[in-house]
């Protein structure tokens, strides 16, 4: 079988000489030599991580972004799962080896493999076993995927991570990435115009165990009733992971922040939305004393790029300087994109008037743009919401949604959600109200 693989690889490289790293249309990366490929694979493999899989504070600046790296299988545990829409093994073989596979197998005299569809299940395993005898490190696996599938180093690394290091699953993920990119490149005539983009952001107060099961059930019901394209949730804890996967895993792509801290963020991207997922990046705020981080999800619709960002900015009054630093970092990130790109941030900013933070002119506040309705202003209102049983009243606009000005893009609706008290526990779903906004993209 090793001879079959050797013959095929030689034949494959002859008919597709540029296959090793054929770049997608959006990439500016160009690699050709073996040394360059190894260098890039090594960069992905050797990124400096601490024991929790996060870039340490000493190794990342406040405005740097860490592209999702390749954790070990132990770090991934059972949280990495195959997509319900993953392609079949016959599809993998067609995508990976093309129409020439049959000729190679037949020429090699292997009658057992003479039918692609009938033997596809075993064929992938045999090919992998034969060609991966010395493929052991992450860098080697990335190079192997690039060589066989003709994908980019970035796509190979992301697929290997999503597959938990399993090469067969990684091949499935690469094929799905190719399909997603093909869909995202479809012309505008295949999409609604204008397009209504809906987004929900909500700090669900998951760290507070009082009535947490009933309260989070109400959050789940609200998400399902609103059915937004994008959901940003903050203060998620480990106890919520399985419920989120079970409740939203089929309808939404679940994109986690740092799960190795007390509470963290998650992004849900509706699978039947017109937004096509491309990648997720996580930024650790280096000087945060609370493990705060931002999730940046890149999507595409009809060739246009969307950057969807959420974070839980540093809490407490005394953390003013770090809070200002984090939100300004996010504003700078939003301004850095191409002028036609759409950038949206939603989350718990913890901003107070004394913080004296004014967004740049190009960054718009959705509540202000929708008329500054005083009934929709305060998202943390202890005068009404007594979940925390505080001995004082405070009305603050902690939670906000900002967007960067872009052509043919505007916000058209803003409302607060989660304002109905639950009869089962006499509590609201969270100590924060959620924000539900809609945008028009034309």
């Amino acid at each position: 079988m090793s001879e079959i693989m050797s013959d095929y690889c030689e034949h494959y490289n002859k008919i597709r000489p540029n296959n090793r790293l054929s770049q997608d249309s959006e990439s500016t990366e160009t690699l050709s030599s073996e040394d360059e490929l190894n260098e890039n694979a090594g960069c992905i493999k050797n990124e400096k991580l601490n024991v929790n899989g996060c870039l340490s504070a000493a190794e990342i600046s406040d405005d740097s972004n860490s592209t999702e790296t390749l954790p070990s299988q132990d770090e991934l545990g059972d949280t990495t799962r195959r997509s319900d829409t993953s392609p079949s093994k016959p599809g993998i073989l067609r995508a990976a080896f093309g129409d020439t596979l049959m000729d190679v197998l037949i020429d090699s005299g292997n009658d057992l493999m003479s039918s692609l569809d009938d033997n596809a299940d075993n064929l992938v395993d045999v090919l992998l076993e034969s060609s991966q005898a010395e493929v052991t490190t992450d860098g080697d696996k990335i190079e192997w995927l690039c060589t066989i599938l003709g994908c980019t180093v970035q796509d190979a690394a992301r697929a290997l991570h999503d597959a938990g290091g399993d090469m067969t699953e990684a091949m499935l993920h690469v094929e799905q990435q190719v399909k997603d990119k093909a869909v995202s490149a479809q012309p505008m005539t295949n999409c609604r115009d204008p397009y209504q983009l809906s987004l929900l952001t909500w700090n669900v107060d998951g760290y507070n165990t009082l009535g947490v099961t009933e309260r989070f059930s109400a959050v789940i019901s609200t998400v399902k009733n609103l059915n937004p394209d994008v959901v940003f949730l903050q203060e998620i804890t480990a106890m919520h992971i399985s419920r989120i996967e079970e409740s939203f895993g089929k309808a939404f792509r679940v994109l986690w922040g740092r799960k190795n801290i007390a509470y963290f963020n998650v992004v849900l991207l509706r699978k039947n939305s017109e937004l096509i997922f491309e990648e997720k990046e996580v930024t650790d705020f280096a000087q945060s004393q609370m493990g705060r981080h931002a999730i940046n999800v890149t999507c595409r619709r009809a060739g246009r790029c969307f950057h969807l960002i959420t974070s839980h900015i540093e809490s407490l009054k005394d953390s003013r300087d770090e809070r200002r630093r984090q939100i300004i970092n996010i504003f700078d990130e939003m301004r850095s994109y191409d002028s036609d790109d759409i950038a949206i941030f939603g989350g718990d900013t913890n901003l107070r008037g004394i913080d004296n933070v004014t967004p740049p002119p190009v960054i718009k506040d959705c509540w202000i743009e929708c008329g500054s309705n005083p009934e929709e202003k305060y998202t943390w209102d202890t005068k009404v919401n007594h979940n925390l049983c505080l001995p004082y009243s405070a009305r603050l606009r902690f939670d906000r949604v900002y967007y960067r000005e872009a052509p043919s893009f505007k916000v058209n609706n803003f409302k607060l959600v989660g304002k109905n008290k639950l009869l089962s526990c006499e509590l609201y779903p969270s100590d924060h109200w959620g924000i539900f906004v809609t945008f028009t993209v034309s």
Side-chain angles (χ1 to χ4, degrees):
M1 194 65 206
S2 61
E3 294 179 357
I4 297 175
M5 193 63 196
S6 177
D7 291 341
Y8 171 67
C9 287
E10 180 180 356
H11 183 63
Y12 183 76
N13 288 328
K14 285 180 181 178
I15 63 170
R16 295 185 65 185
N18 297 322
N19 183 67
R20 288 182 60 83
L21 283 172
S22 57
Q23 305 296 318
D24 59 81
S25 60
E26 296 299 322
S27 176
T28 58
E29 178 185 20
T30 303
L31 299 176
S32 55
S33 69
E34 192 76 20
D35 291 338
E36 288 172 316
L37 180 59
N38 289 331
E39 180 181 353
N40 279 273
C43 287
I44 297 171
K45 177 177 60 175
N46 297 321
E47 192 162 349
K48 295 180 179 179
L49 302 177
N50 63 25
V51 294
N52 293 319
C54 301
L55 292 175
S56 66
E59 294 164 337
I60 182 170
S61 63
D62 196 34
D63 62 349
S64 60
N65 291 330
S66 61
T67 302
E68 192 80 353
T69 54
L70 301 175
S72 66
Q73 185 64 49
D74 290 338
E75 288 173 313
L76 286 168
D78 60 3
T79 61
T80 300
R81 60 185 185 85
R82 177 175 168 177
S83 168
D84 295 329
T85 57
S86 296
S88 62
K89 285 187 177 180
I92 275 294
L93 291 169
R94 293 190 182 96
F97 303 105
D99 295 334
T100 60
L101 177 61
M102 286 309 306
D103 294 336
V104 174
L105 293 175
I106 293 173
D107 290 345
S108 300
N110 195 328
D111 295 333
L112 180 62
M113 298 297 180
S114 61
S115 170
L116 175 63
D117 290 325
D118 291 344
N119 297 284
D121 273 353
N122 293 328
L123 183 53
V124 169
D125 297 330
V126 172
L127 288 173
L128 289 174
E129 181 180 353
S130 301
S131 63
Q132 291 185 68
E134 299 181 1
V135 178
T136 56
T137 67
D138 288 340
D140 291 338
K141 292 178 180 179
I142 292 169
E143 183 177 353
W144 190 92
L145 289 169
C146 291
T147 302
I148 297 301
L149 301 184
C151 62
T152 67
V153 170
Q154 184 183 32
D155 285 346
R158 188 186 307 127
L160 193 63
H161 167 263
D162 291 345
D166 182 86
M167 291 291 280
T168 305
E169 289 293 319
M171 293 174 72
L172 293 166
H173 283 281
V174 169
E175 186 191 37
Q176 189 61 51
Q177 289 172 11
V178 171
K179 288 183 177 180
D180 287 346
K181 288 182 179 181
V183 172
S184 70
Q186 291 177 355
M188 179 68 80
T189 53
N190 290 341
C191 299
R192 290 171 291 165
D193 188 24
Y195 169 53
Q196 299 296 318
L197 172 68
S198 55
L199 181 148
L200 171 68
T201 183
W202 203 348
N203 180 327
V204 300
D205 190 27
Y207 199 58
N208 178 9
T209 58
L210 184 64
V212 64
T213 301
E214 296 91 338
R215 291 191 297 105
F216 197 67
S217 293
V219 171
I220 292 172
S221 296
T222 302
V223 172
K224 290 184 176 181
N225 289 336
L226 293 173
N227 196 31
D229 297 291
V230 182
V231 181
F232 296 153
L233 299 179
Q234 302 87 43
E235 282 200 33
I236 294 296
T237 67
M239 68 174 296
H240 295 108
I241 292 176
S242 60
R243 291 199 69 186
I244 287 175
E245 293 282 2
E246 293 168 3
S247 301
F248 301 123
K250 290 184 178 180
F252 291 84
R253 183 186 291 268
V254 181
L255 303 163
W256 298 102
R258 301 300 190 199
K259 294 190 289 185
N260 57 342
I261 55 180
Y263 51 87
F264 43 89
N265 312 314
V266 66
V267 174
L268 307 178
L269 190 66
R270 187 155 54 83
K271 291 180 179 179
N272 65 355
S273 165
E274 291 184 14
L275 294 177
I276 306 301
F277 171 76
E278 285 199 344
E279 65 176 334
K280 177 195 76 174
E281 291 182 296
V282 176
T283 299
D284 294 297
F285 294 118
Q287 299 183 53
S288 172
Q289 300 301 305
M290 304 175 184
R292 299 301 165 87
H293 57 279
I295 306 176
N296 188 340
V297 175
T298 302
C299 304
R300 203 166 280 275
R301 173 189 177 269
R304 195 171 189 184
C305 198
F306 290 70
H307 305 276
L308 309 171
I309 307 170
T310 189
S311 183
H312 185 186
I313 303 299
E314 207 83 357
S315 307
L316 306 180
K317 184 178 180 180
D318 293 340
S319 302
R320 174 187 176 189
D321 290 342
E322 176 59 17
R323 181 161 51 251
R324 284 169 49 87
R325 189 161 34 241
Q326 291 174 14
I327 194 65
I328 290 172
N329 175 271
I330 288 173
F331 289 155
D332 289 343
E333 177 73 14
M334 295 172 71
R335 291 193 299 171
S336 71
Y337 302 123
D338 292 343
S339 60
D340 192 55
D341 288 3
I342 291 172
I344 304 172
F345 167 82
D348 180 357
T349 69
N350 275 302
L351 286 175
R352 299 154 168 82
I354 61 172
D355 291 342
N356 195 27
V357 173
T358 302
V362 73
I363 303 297
K364 301 300 182 181
D365 186 322
C366 287
W367 176 71
I368 294 175
E369 295 300 310
C370 289
S372 303
N373 183 352
E375 298 298 320
E376 307 284 348
K377 182 175 183 179
Y378 302 112
T379 65
W380 197 71
D381 187 353
T382 64
K383 185 177 180 180
V384 176
N385 190 322
H386 301 132
N387 276 22
L388 300 181
C389 301
L390 297 176
Y392 58 86
S393 294
R395 309 187 79 196
L396 295 163
R397 198 162 69 94
F398 280 161
D399 306 87
R400 306 189 185 191
V401 179
Y402 293 104
Y403 67 95
R404 201 271 308 270
E405 279 188 327
S408 304
F409 179 72
K410 65 178 182 178
V411 62
N412 51 35
N413 187 51
F414 180 104
K415 71 175 182 178
L416 301 182
V417 300
K419 301 181 74 172
N420 293 324
K421 184 176 287 189
L422 308 177
L423 297 178
S424 59
C425 58
E426 288 297 311
L427 296 169
Y428 292 96
S430 172
D431 62 327
H432 292 246
W433 311 137
I435 297 176
F436 182 70
V437 294
T438 58
F439 301 88
T440 298
V441 187
S442 59

